[in-house]
Structure formats: C-alpha cells, structure tokens
Amino acid sequence: MPQVSQQASDLQKQKHVDSAGYLSNKTIAALCTPTGGAITVLRLSGSNAIKIAEKLSSFKIDLNAERRAKRVWLSDQNKKIDDAVMVPYFGPRSFTGEDVVEFFLHGSPIIAQKVLDLIFAEGARLALPGEFSFRAVKNGKMQLSQAEAIKELIAAENDFALDLALEKLSGSQHELIDKIRTDLMQLATLSEVGIDFSDQDIDEVSLPRLRGRLGQIISMLENLGGSFDRGKRFTDGIPVSLFGLPNAGKSSFFNALLGEDRSIVSDIAGTTRDVVREKLNLKGLKGYVTYKLSDTAGLRGLKVVQDADKIEQIGIQKTIQTASSSDLVLIVVDGLSPNLEEVESFLQSIQGKKTIGIITKKDLVDEASQEEIKLFLLSKLSEVKSWTWISSTTLEGVSDVAKEMAIIAEDILIRKPGEVVITQVEHLQAIERSLKCLKEANDCADLVLFATTVRHGMGELGALIGETLPDDVLGKIFSDFCIGK
Ligand SMILES: Nc1nc2c(ncn2[C@@H]2O[C@H](COP(=O)(O)OP(=O)(O)OP(=O)(O)O)[C@@H](O)[C@H]2O)c(=O)[nH]1
Ligand SMILES: [Mg+2]
C-alpha cells in the first residue's frame, strides 16, 4: 500500500474489517488520499452510502443533487467537524456501480479520523485494499485488466511504465490476450465437435490438425510469458552495476549519481563489502527512466582474492553475480592509476554485456594525461566502446554518463508497435500453469482427454483473461492495491 501515506494508513488501520473480507456487501469507506495536504478525499460506497452522507451533512440527497458538488457542514450531532465538499453518485452511475459519496475534507488527520469514526458508527466498515476497484469489476463497471492497469498507473515511476499502464487501460495491450483466449475457446469447441463426430472422418477436427492449432497457441503463450523479464525492467528499473578495482571510485560515483551520501567512501581498498542497491530515476531523452543501481565490492587480482579475508572473497563473488545479472555494467577505472591487467582478468565474467567505461578522479589529473589515458584504455580494452572522464568531487562528467545510460536503457525499453509486455507475477504464474496443461494436452493420444485438458489449460488463464474468476481469487488479486482505490 505504498501510495497511502503512513499517517493515513495508520489512521485507517485502527478500524477492523469484517471476516467476510471482499465478499461482504457492507457499505465501505476509506481515505483515497494521504492526510496532511490541503485536501483529503474520502470515499464511501454501498447501499447505505447516501443515508450515511445525509446524516453527516444534514442535507437531503435527491436526484437533483447527483454528481453535483455541494458545500456542506459535516457534524457529529450538533458539533461541527468540517466545512467540506460532498459529491454523491447514484449506482450504477458511479465508480463502483453502487451508491457512492465522495467527501473533500480539509487535510487534517483529526478531521479524517472523526469523519471516518462517524461513518463506522453508522455501520460502514473500512474498505480493504483495492476494494472499490474490486466492486467496480464485480459490478461490471470495468474489466479486471483495466482495474489492474489503474493499479499500475498509480505505481508507475517512470515514463515507460506509465505508457504501458495507459495502453493497458485503453485495452490495446489486451488484444493478444483476447486472441489467445478466442483461439483456445475455438480449439476446445472444435475438439468437442471432434468427439461428437468421431465416427466420421473430418480432417478439420482430427487430432493432428487440433495439435497443430494448439502448437501455435503454445508458442504465443510462451512469447507472452517470456515478456515478463522485460516487463520487470519497466516497473522495477533497468539493473545497472558498478564494476572495478578497489579504490577506483565506484562508491563515490554511485553517490554522485544518486545525489546523496548512500555508500561508504574511504581511501582504504576494500571499503565496500556487500552489494549496495538503490533505485534511481533519471531524465533520459524520451522521459524518465528507472534504474536499479548496484554499488559493489572492488575486484582484486586472483592471487590477492585467495589471500583476502573470507568476507571480501564473498563480496567479490557477489560483485561478479550482480554484474552478470545486470543489463548494463559501468566499468570504473581509477584515473590516477589505470590498472588494466587486473580489470582484464575479470572482464570475461561480463562478456556480451552492454558496458560504459568511466575514468574517475578527473579533478586530480591534467588534461594532457586525460587524453593519453583515454586513448590507452580504448586501445587496450576493445570490449568497452566509450570512456568518459568524471569527477565525483566536482561532478564533472557525471551527467554525460547519465546520458549514455539513458541511451542504452531506452533502447532496452522501447517497444515495437503492438508489443505486449506482462508485468505481474500472477500473470506469469497463470501462463506457466496453463502452458503445463496445454503441453500435456499436446501429448494426449485420445480426443476426449485432449478436449478436457485444453479446457483445463484455458481455465488456468483466468487471472490473465479475467473470466470465470471465483471471488476469493479476485479478492487475492485486489489485496495488493492501495486502500482507497
Ligand atoms: N579527488 C577525487 N577523489 C575521489 C574521486 N572518486 C573517488 N575518490 C576518492 O578515492 C577513494 C576511494 O573512493 P571509493 O569511492 O571509496 O572507491 P571504491 O571504488 O568504492 O572502493 P572500494 O569500495 O574499496 O572497492 C576515496 O578516498 C575517495 O574520496 C574523485 O572523483 N575525485
Ligand atoms: Mg566502494
């Protein structure tokens, strides 16, 4: 529930929810925005919403009042609580499809607390995370995929995740999923026709022909499942790691990029032991990009590693693992002593990775030597295509590296027109379960078994195609939404 401030969530946690969870039809209420700003939005939904709002505002809500902002005094019996704005919606013409009232309160936490207390005293309960959206889906106001898109829209941290969520909301990301569903339904129907007419020799519904169709669906699903790793780059960021010898200036550069003193810096070789990870949003050429940046332990020559203490050895192993699972490796070389032999011995562990070469301590090296060192590095390390001098002290060159990072990251994130990317682990799991069934179906020698296994495989895709989902499964999907959504 990261979108609701701690203050607002603490405030709301004080009220218990009933044991029926998402399945209870009680009137629900929750804050949609954090308290502490100028305005707090409180939403109330359910069959008693209008009655409760009338009691709080002493205002009769009739059809003329629908969807109109009304300035009202909210009071507890005769004691005034807030001068607020109230907007009533009659179901089904509301977000949830039920009667809904939204209150715009002054942003004080005590006002929100008092209004919530009054609403709970009238029999409503605190909404579960995502429960307004849950009801909207249940009441046919939106598709499950659209509700999930809204969740992703709220969580989007960069332009690429935002564009993807907007495409999902508009439905264009759903076309491939719709096609898979339609193809599977046709396949299941055809195989059932095949059973009915098994005494006749109809090629269209013969097992080999049906298997051919199934093979195409399997490969579409495999492609869709394969997009998850890419999807994580949109939501979690592009993994980038620093890579270089001890004292090269990795942690100093890490801090310079972040603009904060995150990693410990010292002139003692081997200062960083563990991997230090931090998310970073940088403006690129096409918008904001999120990176998952890792500062790592400096690599020492193999001989020294053997002699180094155990913790440092583990640190070095972690550096290699982290770099090899990154999309981009920043190779950091100490501008004061560009020691290449030792760097070279580690380069094979990141073969084929995209790299950017960084030469540090620009402020300590004269210009003529800078040029010489750059040419030397270019000639020695052909794997690294560009070298940029930076100073973490004066910050010179740091934004140039940020630009190079953006070019590589945006190249990874750019989608072909119509390319569908899944971002939710539940969707990946549904695809994997479905694929398991469909591959079993492919091995079935019997048409009856084939048909039932295909139907089973289709059922497993429920979380993705949003059909025939039992309420408890739906509830689970919505439980990681934020409260008030
Ligand atoms: N003047 C100057 N000093 C720097 C610069 N970058 C790093 N240093 C210094 O170089 C030393 C090592 O810097 P670190 O950032 O700790 O190096 P590291 O690569 O993280 O080292 P390990 O964690 O041991 O692998 C520190 O004394 C830093 O202050 C720079 O751009 N200019
Ligand atoms: Mg360090």
Side-chain angles (χ1 to χ4, degrees):
M1 194 207 336
Q3 291 79 19
V4 177
S5 78
Q6 194 56 41
Q7 195 181 27
S9 71
D10 284 351
L11 206 151
Q12 303 198 77
K13 254 188 251 156
Q14 298 164 16
K15 293 292 157 189
H16 73 280
V17 289
D18 70 40
S19 56
Y22 290 92
L23 305 182
S24 107
N25 290 327
K26 260 192 162 179
T27 299
I28 51 172
L31 302 183
C32 302
T33 57
T35 56
I39 305 278
T40 294
V41 179
L42 188 156
R43 190 187 264 158
L44 181 63
S45 175
S47 53
N48 281 331
I50 300 289
K51 203 179 93 206
I52 295 173
E54 285 180 337
K55 174 136 196 224
L56 258 67
S57 63
S58 309
F59 176 76
K60 177 86 192 115
I61 301 172
D62 56 21
L63 274 174
N64 285 329
E66 191 191 8
R67 290 168 171 260
R68 290 205 171 163
K70 172 77 186 161
R71 188 171 170 190
V72 289
W73 274 102
L74 301 180
S75 19
D76 180 3
Q77 297 179 335
N78 285 328
K79 197 170 174 335
K80 288 190 168 80
I81 298 177
D82 193 19
D83 176 10
V85 170
M86 172 176 91
V87 184
Y89 304 80
F90 287 110
R93 297 177 300 272
S94 70
F95 179 73
T96 58
E98 306 174 323
D99 287 347
V100 168
V101 182
E102 284 172 353
F103 293 98
F104 298 81
L105 311 171
H106 288 109
S108 137
I110 187 69
I111 291 177
Q113 179 70 76
K114 278 174 166 292
V115 177
L116 277 174
D117 280 348
L118 274 180
I119 289 173
F120 296 144
E122 291 302 317
R125 66 162 170 83
L126 178 65
L128 294 164
E131 195 171 7
F132 294 104
S133 305
F134 173 86
R135 291 189 176 188
V137 171
K138 250 194 112 191
N139 295 329
K141 294 298 291 186
M142 63 165 102
Q143 299 285 321
L144 174 63
S145 59
Q146 286 175 308
E148 288 179 325
I150 292 177
K151 177 177 80 172
E152 290 180 21
L153 205 59
I154 295 170
E157 290 181 348
N158 58 69
D159 285 63
F160 296 86
L162 185 65
D163 286 349
L164 190 62
L166 286 170
E167 264 188 37
K168 285 187 183 175
L169 191 60
S170 70
S172 59
Q173 278 278 309
H174 219 249
E175 279 163 22
L176 177 70
I177 295 163
D178 282 343
K179 177 164 171 41
I180 293 174
R181 185 191 54 185
T182 315
D183 285 4
L184 266 175
M185 268 170 23
Q186 277 178 357
L187 182 66
T189 312
L190 279 175
S191 49
E192 280 146 14
V193 169
I195 299 168
D196 292 344
F197 293 91
S198 53
D199 51 342
Q200 297 169 36
D201 198 14
I202 310 172
D203 182 46
E204 184 67 19
V205 292
S206 66
L207 203 48
R209 282 291 288 270
L210 295 173
R211 278 203 193 113
R213 275 173 171 253
L214 179 60
Q216 286 171 6
I217 298 173
I218 288 178
S219 77
M220 277 195 284
L221 265 181
E222 280 175 339
N223 280 339
L224 194 59
S227 72
F228 179 71
D229 268 352
R230 229 163 103 58
K232 277 204 304 207
R233 267 65 181 166
F234 288 78
T235 51
D236 297 0
I238 302 275
V240 177
S241 65
L242 294 161
F243 196 79
L245 302 187
N247 263 350
K250 299 180 295 300
S251 300
S252 305
F253 181 63
F254 179 76
N255 291 345
L257 267 180
L258 291 175
E260 64 172 294
D261 216 3
R262 173 70 178 84
S263 210
I264 300 173
V265 166
S266 87
D267 57 4
I268 302 165
T271 302
T272 308
R273 294 287 180 104
D274 218 334
V275 180
V276 182
R277 294 194 173 86
E278 202 60 63
K279 255 194 188 179
L280 169 68
N281 255 359
L282 288 179
K283 197 158 176 19
L285 308 172
K286 299 190 177 75
Y288 279 94
V289 178
T290 308
Y291 299 93
K292 245 174 22 187
L293 196 60
S294 297
D295 182 21
T296 60
L299 301 156
R300 295 203 199 222
L302 289 176
K303 162 91 182 67
V304 192
V305 179
Q306 278 159 15
D307 298 346
D309 68 68
K310 217 173 159 190
I311 299 169
E312 190 169 1
Q313 285 186 34
I314 298 170
I316 292 171
Q317 278 162 13
K318 279 194 173 187
T319 300
I320 293 172
Q321 276 164 10
T322 308
S324 47
S325 62
S326 294
D327 287 351
L328 171 63
V329 180
L330 307 181
I331 299 184
V332 183
V333 170
D334 187 341
L336 282 181
S337 59
N339 183 345
L340 276 185
E341 274 167 32
E342 295 205 50
V343 176
E344 272 178 316
S345 67
F346 289 102
L347 279 182
Q348 61 183 28
S349 59
I350 52 159
Q351 247 178 12
K353 290 270 157 205
K354 292 199 163 67
T355 54
I356 296 176
I358 292 163
I359 324 167
T360 61
K361 309 183 188 177
K362 186 174 185 195
D363 52 297
L364 301 179
V365 180
D366 64 69
E367 273 186 32
S369 311
Q370 283 175 24
E371 202 44 38
E372 227 173 85
I373 292 172
K374 195 170 179 172
L375 289 174
F376 166 72
L377 288 172
L378 273 172
S379 67
K380 281 288 281 184
L381 279 188
S382 56
E383 299 92 331
V384 186
K385 296 286 174 276
S386 77
W387 288 96
T388 305
W389 273 93
I390 64 107
S391 164
S392 301
T393 308
T394 65
L395 300 185
E396 225 186 316
V398 174
S399 62
D400 296 329
V401 177
K403 265 187 215 138
E404 285 187 72
M405 285 166 63
I407 292 170
I408 293 174
E410 292 180 349
D411 195 41
I412 295 171
L413 293 171
I414 211 87
R415 277 180 299 125
K416 292 186 221 91
E419 186 187 343
V420 178
V421 180
I422 58 163
T423 49
Q424 295 186 34
V425 71
E426 294 80 10
H427 291 177
L428 176 67
Q429 288 162 349
I431 289 172
E432 283 170 347
R433 284 195 307 270
S434 175
L435 272 172
K436 188 168 175 282
C437 280
L438 297 179
K439 285 178 180 169
E440 274 168 27
N442 215 17
D443 293 336
C444 290
D446 169 68
L447 202 52
V448 177
L449 208 54
F450 179 89
T452 46
T453 319
V454 164
R455 282 250 176 236
H456 196 174
M458 196 164 83
E460 292 290 10
L461 282 182
L464 194 66
I465 59 185
E467 276 192 356
T468 60
L469 273 187
D471 283 349
D472 55 337
V473 178
L474 263 186
K476 206 165 164 286
I477 292 173
F478 282 91
S479 61
D480 68 332
F481 275 55
C482 54
I483 289 186
K485 187 63 239 159

